Amino acid sequence: MRFWVGAYAPATGSAEGIGVLQAGDVDSAWASGPLGMVGTAVAAPGSPSWVAAHPVHDILYAALESDGTVQAYRRTGEARLGPIGSAVPVGDAVCHIAVSPDASFLVASCWGDGRVVRIDLDASGRPSSTPVVAPAATDPFGATSNGDEIATGATVSGAAVPDLAAAARALREAAGEEFSHLVPAYDAVPETDAETEEARAGVRVSRAHEAIFLPGGVVATTDMGYDLVRFWRPGGGGLRLRQEVALPRGSGPRHGLWHPSGHLYVVTELSREVFVLAPDAAGSWRVISGVPLLGTLEDDTAAELCASRDGSVLYAGVRGSDTVGVLAVRGAGEALQLTALAEAGTHWPRHHVVVDDTLLVAGQLAHEIVSLPLDPRTGVPGRVRHRTPSPSPTRLLPMR
């Protein structure tokens, strides 16, 4: 089985462009076999940190994060892509794109300036050169004052948080050259962690992060900076705001997942929680429950959220202490229960995806992709089964 691999280019990473991963046999629907990078499908120096596929045509769309543009690519071979036209400017640090189920448009989310942008697609999948910016978000909690900053602190339940970076350096020195590679690279951190620094300083800036298409033509978007989940309907060539739901202040909603039960699950980057949202009889959304990813550290940041094949288990990646929260879906989907916090098997798990009995994890700062077997009874990931070097991976997308 093969996957497109989104990644960061040399300005913030080390990838040449969009990569291709092979997991197990090429013609197999299973991903439990050995891993290997096939190569680079197309050079993309603008950092294709997120890629999304057209639902019908052999076309891939990439968010070129450092360029602030969206570029369309056509598949030109088994593992090759070629650009379609010019890149479309959308906004600062575009970090996510989602294609509508009917393939009539895509929505781009921009972390740098908070923009949510609609780009129409023609019948062949080619994007319009005139994107439409949706109405900007406003902070539901108002301006931040010096006496009302976002609480981050340096303790958990009154205990001091250990300095993992210092501990890693000390352990590596004690282990010596022969065994130093076995010590987790907790001292390898991103060059800039603006999200965490802003939260610590109480700075609040709009940070759009993802769009999720829901049934009935509704689009949900997350705003990590303003702690918002916003609901839209397409209209007038753009997006019309229908409703906003505020999550707890400083939680930082990052990514979401629509569940067949009719619930929307949202993982928060800064508070490391998963919230459950549901619509009432009139179609208005509200938060009905939430669960913390217990055992994480104060400086950790949650990343991706995905579900098992049958939707009974959710997996939330946590960067820093490098774990995966395993959550069981309870009742009719209205409640979640944390059942395990498993090792991710790699450093800085930026993205992960479930393929049958396997969890594939992109370790951004470890520059590798690993596979973990999933227990068939509990769904809990086991120890790393296979791994392969991969430069700055940030997104794993199964090929059709």
Side-chain angles (χ1 to χ4, degrees), residues 4-213:
W4 302 112
V5 180
Y8 279 129
T12 51
S14 57
E16 295 179 358
I18 300 172
V20 176
L21 168 74
Q22 182 167 315
D25 296 331
V26 177
D27 299 327
S28 173
W30 297 79
S32 54
L35 304 177
M37 292 298 292
V38 176
T40 300
V42 64
S47 286
S49 61
W50 191 270
V51 292
H54 191 283
V56 178
H57 301 306
D58 249 350
I59 294 176
L60 203 68
Y61 304 97
L64 302 183
E65 187 166 335
S66 62
D67 286 354
T69 61
V70 170
Q71 175 67 61
Y73 298 95
R74 189 180 305 280
R75 193 167 178 175
T76 59
E78 187 64 29
R80 295 294 299 173
L81 297 167
I84 302 174
S86 301
V88 180
V90 289
D92 186 20
V94 54
C95 61
H96 187 272
I97 44 179
V99 184
S100 65
D102 65 359
S104 63
F105 67 98
L106 62 80
V107 177
S109 300
C110 302
W111 181 87
D113 53 21
R115 284 185 173 187
V116 174
V117 183
R118 170 176 169 161
I119 302 176
D120 285 338
L121 304 174
D122 67 17
S124 69
R126 181 183 291 268
S128 167
S129 59
T130 55
V132 178
V133 180
T138 57
D139 190 350
F141 297 99
T144 301
S145 66
N146 291 334
D148 193 22
E149 295 182 347
I150 299 170
T152 55
T155 62
V156 176
S157 300
V161 175
D163 186 342
L164 290 180
R169 289 191 293 269
L171 284 172
R172 196 172 293 111
E173 183 177 350
E177 184 176 349
E178 183 178 358
F179 300 104
S180 63
H181 67 285
L182 299 176
V183 179
Y186 292 132
D187 51 335
V189 297
E191 291 182 7
T192 59
D193 190 357
E195 299 163 353
T196 301
E197 291 305 317
E198 286 172 358
R200 285 175 176 169
V203 176
R204 294 181 64 80
V205 180
S206 178
R207 301 289 193 195
H209 223 299
E210 188 188 36
I212 311 109
F213 284 91

Side-chain angles (χ1 to χ4, degrees), residues 224-246:
M224 202 205 80
Y226 282 167
D227 305 309
L228 284 172
V229 180
R230 311 174 78 195
F231 295 89
W232 312 80
R233 280 198 178 276
L239 295 172
R240 293 180 177 175
L241 185 62
R242 177 179 175 183
Q243 185 191 356
E244 293 183 337
V245 176

Side-chain angles (χ1 to χ4, degrees), residues 240-337:
R240 293 180 177 175
L241 185 62
R242 177 179 175 183
Q243 185 191 356
E244 293 183 337
V245 176
L247 270 59
R249 181 173 179 167
S251 57
R254 177 183 172 95
H255 279 193
L257 171 70
W258 181 83
H259 192 263
S261 65
H263 297 86
L264 176 64
Y265 303 130
V266 177
V267 64
T268 55
E269 177 167 337
L270 300 177
S271 67
R272 304 168 305 283
E273 299 170 271
V274 181
F275 288 91
V276 181
L277 282 71
D280 60 20
S284 294
W285 289 80
R286 60 190 178 90
V287 176
I288 61 171
S289 68
V291 60
L293 298 172
L294 298 173
T296 60
L297 302 178
E298 194 68 22
D299 287 338
D300 285 351
T301 54
E304 181 61 19
L305 184 69
C306 75
S308 61
R309 182 174 56 177
D310 64 1
S312 64
V313 180
L314 304 184
Y315 299 93
V318 179
R319 301 168 294 182
S321 55
D322 301 336
T323 54
V324 176
V326 183
L327 303 105
V329 178
R330 299 302 191 198
E334 74 280 1
L336 302 173
Q337 179 184 359

